[in-house]
Structure formats: structure tokens, C-alpha cells
Amino acid sequence: MAITGITNDPQDFRTVYNPIEYVATSNKTAEARFKYIVEVYDGATKIGTLKVPADPNGYGRADVQGIMESYLTKDLGDITASISAFDDCTNSYKEFTIKFLEEYEIAGVLTVSSVYFTKTLITYNGCLPNYRDTITFSAYQVADKFEDYTVNAATRKFLTNIPKGVRPPDPNTQSVELTDKGFTYFLTGTGGDIDQYKVFAYNSSNVLITTAVVTSVVAVNKMAVIPSSPDSLNSLDASVVSISQPIIPTNCDHYYIELYKSASAASEKIHFDVTSECRYEVRRLEFLNSLGGFDTFNFTKVSRKSEAIERKFYKQNPDDMTAAGVIDYSLTDKVKTQYYTKSSPKIKLNSDNISVDIYNWLVELIESPEIYMWENGERIAVQNIQGNWEQKRADTDSVFNLEIEVELGIDNYRQRG
């Protein structure tokens, strides 16, 4: 007799930065020095062990999230000149094996059992909030909500909470410029189940002007990323696109993207509004969202640069005595010498007027742990972001824009002795 069951078994596609808890039962909990043992494996390699005492009801509760999270990082979309149709997000998901054992004392000897249960679990780089109007951790973990993101049907969701307008003039349609790069992430279920996506581009009269089928030439497994903004789509290699480039022509007013399994639609539609370049320099931010993908947003109003300066000094006695022993006081004498100077670039950004839903969605930018600003075709890491965010209501608030200040992850040093 031994472990009798697993009463709490997390579903596949678990967000790795939320609790990943198993609960086991055993009929040996009355034995001396009893503990449940939970081992976590990466393939055949054991990477962690938890020893859990039984609670007053005999259950063993173990959260393996802390062991797993260090094995996942991120996957950023390729911003090179010629890019692939699909990229497998190999750093953003991982399959682990969990084994359940127990130990207890027999005749004064601590005995470790053999493995009673083995479970597999796929985790991905998400961190769902506990309280929000979008999908929460408590809602996701109930009733296999992960299937909303893996099912091969028109209801399949992308890994983003951005409001999904239908097309202009819907204010919730994502605004992009022809020169913008950007990407969209999704889960792929059993692996390799999505083999193409289609891009439908329309002019300002809502007439379909191009239909492009983009075919995968690489295997995608569990989680993938596809180009979705105009410049990224127009940079796709010709071998994976059914039409001649550009996919998004200069007279395109709006377009949408949809995943396909062979000839069948296998996802929701995600719409984009192509806007003209504005009078100010556009600052495009890319940020890790709560579902493990990266979203982008343009700040199109005036931006202002500044520098935060940090200085350090040491104190010294002034050299103000003459050879004759007379003190010659002077305003040029220094009693402090600067030996350390660090400047940190900051930029204050302002959005255009945006819808209440877009504004409320941008809380994911404000709280994101990983943010980049795109400039001259490169990503610049953002070290810190400051801004005042307060939920808006369409029935009481009218015009919305977001003002933030970002501190870049770059420091400039000047040292003096």
C-alpha cells in the first residue's frame, strides 16, 4: 500500500509564473517521519526534489513552479530583412515529468519508496493575473481553459489580450504603419497542427485587394510566433508566400490574419488598421504580456528625451597655502572633487487618443517585466517604466491618452579623478 492518488492534477499548458500545484494522497501518512516526495525531471535529468509532510487531513501539497520557471526564458520575433513564416518558441515552453514517491520510517530505518505515479506537464512563459477583466489565473485553471488557445477552430485565441476590433472605423482595431514590424504568438496543441495562415488586405472602400497564404516550412511545437505587422509580413521570404510581395500594399487600409489547419480556419481573426505616418517620431514599444507573447504599441504624439544624472564626490583639503605660510582663499578652490558620473537616458512618451478598451489593455504594458523600444531597426531594452494608469469607463470617460516615461537599459559613464 502506498500513494493512493493525485487529487489535484494541473492541466497541460500551464502558465509557468503561476502556482503549479499537485496534491497527493497516501495510506502511509501515520508512519513515522512520513513525507511525500515530488521529483521534477527535464527529460531523463532530475532537476529538483520537494519533500512535503502530510497536512492534518493526510494530503501532500507541492508547488513545482519554482523549479520550472528558471528553465523558460523568451522568444522574440525575427526582425531581420528576410524572415520565416513560423518560428517555434523553443525558449518559451517546456515539457517536464513529475514523479511521486514517499518516504517513512520502518524499524528505525528511513525507507524511500519506488515511483508510484508519473505525470507530464507542458508549461509556457505566461503569468496570469489574479484579478482583472481579462482572463485570470483562477478562470484559466478551471474547466481546461487552455483549450481555448489550442483548439483547431475559429474560436481559437491568440496569446494576446489586446482588444480585437473588426475593422476601421472600429476604435479597437490595432493601428500599425507600413514601416512597422511586429509579431503574434499562439499555442499549437499537439505540435505541428497549424501549417499556414492567411492574410486578407482591403482598401479604404473595403474591397479585398490581396489574399496571401503563408505556409510553414519548419515544424512548430506547442508555441509559435508569426509576423503580423506590415513590414514583417512584407519581409517574408518569397518561398513561403503564395503571392508576390508586398502582402500589404501601399493602398491597403486594413487587413486581418487567421490561422489555418490545411484548408480549415483554426483561429480567431486579428485585425489591423494601416495608418499613415504621423508628424512626430513614432516610438514603438514591444512588451511581454500576461499570456507569454509579446505585444506592440505605438506612441505617436510628441516624445521628449531627458537624462537622469547620478554624481559622486570625495572631499579634499584645498591647496591654498603659499610657500610663505599664508593662506590664499579663493573661490576657485575645490573642497569636493567629482569622481563618478552616470547618466541614464529617459524618454517621455504620449499616445494618441485611444479607445477605453485599448487604454485598459495597456495596463499590461505598465506592469510588464520585459519591454523593448524599437529604434532604427533594433531593440533597445527598457529598464524601467513609470506612468499613472487608472481604469477607464466608456459610460463616464470620453477621451483617453496614455503618458509614460521609460528609462532605457543603457547607462553612460564619465569618471574623473
Coordinates of all heavy atoms in Angstrom, one line a residue, residues 34 36 43 77 108 111 117-118 134 151-152 156 166 176 179-180 196 205 207 219 241 323 394 409:
F34 N 7.0 10.4 8.0 CA 6.4 10.3 6.7 C 6.5 11.6 5.9 O 6.3 12.7 6.5 CB 4.9 9.9 6.7 CG 4.3 9.9 5.4 CD1 4.3 8.8 4.6 CD2 3.7 11.1 4.8 CE1 3.7 8.7 3.3 CE2 3.1 11.0 3.6 CZ 3.1 9.9 2.8
Y36 N 5.8 13.1 1.6 CA 5.7 12.9 0.2 C 6.9 13.4 -0.5 O 7.5 14.4 -0.1 CB 4.5 13.6 -0.4 CG 3.1 13.1 0.1 CD1 2.5 13.7 1.2 CD2 2.5 12.1 -0.6 CE1 1.2 13.3 1.6 CE2 1.2 11.7 -0.1 CZ 0.6 12.3 1.0 OH -0.6 11.8 1.4
G43 N 13.4 15.8 -19.2 CA 13.8 14.5 -19.9 C 14.2 13.5 -18.9 O 13.4 13.2 -18.0
G77 N 10.4 37.9 -31.9 CA 10.2 37.7 -33.3 C 11.4 38.2 -34.1 O 12.1 39.2 -33.6
G108 N 13.1 2.0 12.5 CA 14.2 2.9 12.7 C 15.0 3.3 11.5 O 15.9 4.1 11.6
T111 N 12.9 4.7 4.9 CA 12.8 4.0 3.6 C 12.1 4.9 2.6 O 11.2 5.6 2.8 CB 11.8 2.8 3.9 OG1 12.4 1.9 4.9 CG2 11.7 2.0 2.6
F117 N 3.5 7.3 -9.1 CA 2.8 8.0 -10.2 C 3.8 8.8 -11.0 O 4.8 9.4 -10.4 CB 1.7 8.9 -9.6 CG 0.5 8.2 -9.2 CD1 0.3 7.9 -7.8 CD2 -0.5 7.9 -10.1 CE1 -0.8 7.3 -7.4 CE2 -1.7 7.3 -9.6 CZ -1.8 6.9 -8.3
T118 N 3.6 8.9 -12.3 CA 4.4 9.8 -13.2 C 3.4 10.6 -14.0 O 2.4 10.1 -14.5 CB 5.2 8.9 -14.1 OG1 6.1 8.2 -13.3 CG2 6.0 9.9 -15.0
T134 N -9.7 40.7 -17.9 CA -9.3 39.7 -18.9 C -9.2 38.3 -18.2 O -9.6 38.2 -17.1 CB -8.0 40.1 -19.6 OG1 -7.0 40.3 -18.6 CG2 -8.2 41.4 -20.4
V151 N -7.4 24.7 -29.4 CA -8.4 24.0 -30.3 C -8.3 24.5 -31.7 O -8.1 25.7 -32.0 CB -9.8 24.3 -29.8 CG1 -10.2 25.7 -29.8 CG2 -10.8 23.4 -30.5
N152 N -8.4 23.6 -32.7 CA -8.3 23.9 -34.1 C -9.7 24.3 -34.6 O -10.4 23.5 -35.2 CB -7.8 22.7 -34.9 CG -6.3 22.6 -34.8 OD1 -5.6 23.6 -34.7 ND2 -5.8 21.4 -34.8
R156 N -10.4 29.6 -31.6 CA -9.0 29.5 -31.0 C -8.5 30.9 -30.8 O -8.5 31.8 -31.7 CB -8.1 28.7 -31.9 CG -6.6 28.6 -31.5 CD -5.7 28.4 -32.7 NE -4.5 27.7 -32.3 CZ -4.3 26.4 -32.6 NH1 -5.2 25.8 -33.4 NH2 -3.2 25.8 -32.3
V166 N -13.0 44.8 -35.4 CA -13.3 44.1 -36.7 C -12.6 44.8 -37.8 O -12.0 44.1 -38.7 CB -14.8 43.9 -36.9 CG1 -15.4 43.0 -35.9 CG2 -15.5 45.3 -36.8
V176 N -1.4 50.2 -37.1 CA 0.0 50.0 -37.5 C 0.3 50.8 -38.6 O -0.5 51.3 -39.4 CB 0.2 48.5 -37.8 CG1 0.2 47.6 -36.6 CG2 -0.7 48.0 -38.9
T179 N 5.6 50.8 -42.1 CA 7.0 50.5 -41.7 C 7.2 49.7 -40.4 O 8.3 49.5 -40.0 CB 7.7 51.8 -41.6 OG1 7.0 52.7 -40.7 CG2 7.9 52.5 -42.9
D180 N 6.0 49.4 -39.8 CA 6.1 48.7 -38.5 C 6.4 47.2 -38.6 O 5.9 46.5 -39.5 CB 4.8 48.8 -37.8 CG 4.6 50.2 -37.1 OD1 5.6 50.9 -37.0 OD2 3.4 50.5 -36.8
Q196 N -0.4 26.8 -41.8 CA -0.4 28.0 -42.6 C -1.2 29.1 -42.0 O -2.0 28.8 -41.0 CB -0.9 27.7 -44.0 CG -2.3 27.2 -44.1 CD -2.8 26.9 -45.5 OE1 -3.9 27.2 -45.9 NE2 -2.0 26.2 -46.2
S205 N -12.2 51.3 -49.5 CA -13.6 51.1 -49.8 C -14.0 49.7 -49.4 O -15.1 49.2 -49.8 CB -13.7 51.2 -51.4 OG -13.4 52.5 -51.8
V207 N -12.7 46.9 -50.2 CA -12.6 45.9 -51.3 C -11.3 45.1 -51.1 O -10.2 45.6 -50.8 CB -12.5 46.6 -52.6 CG1 -12.3 45.6 -53.8 CG2 -13.8 47.4 -52.9
A219 N 8.9 22.8 -38.5 CA 8.0 22.2 -37.5 C 7.8 23.2 -36.4 O 8.7 23.8 -35.8 CB 8.5 20.9 -37.1
V241 N 5.3 32.4 -49.4 CA 4.2 33.3 -49.6 C 3.6 32.9 -51.0 O 4.3 32.7 -52.0 CB 4.6 34.8 -49.6 CG1 3.3 35.6 -49.8 CG2 5.2 35.1 -48.3
A323 N 54.0 79.4 -0.2 CA 55.3 78.9 0.4 C 55.7 79.7 1.6 O 56.5 79.2 2.5 CB 56.4 79.1 -0.7
A394 N -16.3 53.6 -20.3 CA -16.9 54.2 -21.5 C -18.1 55.1 -21.2 O -18.4 56.1 -21.9 CB -17.2 53.2 -22.6
G409 N 17.6 50.8 -20.7 CA 18.6 49.9 -20.0 C 20.0 50.2 -20.5 O 20.8 49.3 -20.7

